[in-house]
Amino acid sequence: MTPTGSLHDVGPTSGVEVALKKILRGLLGEIDFDKLCPGMKLGTVDEDVLQIFVPARSFSADIVLRHSDDFAVAGEYALGRPIRRVDVLSGG
């Protein structure tokens, strides 16, 4: 079983979060990244599920419906482990 843990334990500017954002910027393009991901924070990783929080004002069904695969791929590369599902949640 893969360990569970909060990525917030290492801080919001952790190498993992920085890497994830850099990869997403490349996958989505600068304009879509800036539109979809402002204020994005990483939540937990539970086995193969990555949790991402976006501010309520930035939450978009577009992330869930059109870009969850991009978030999963970015998570796999940033974390170095398989991600099969991404839960995008609205957070304060």
Side-chain angles (χ1 to χ4, degrees), residues 40-53:
M40 179 184 77
K41 299 288 181 200
L42 297 178
T44 59
V45 178
D46 188 5
E47 295 188 22
D48 60 354
V49 179
L50 173 64
Q51 197 175 64
I52 295 178
F53 291 93

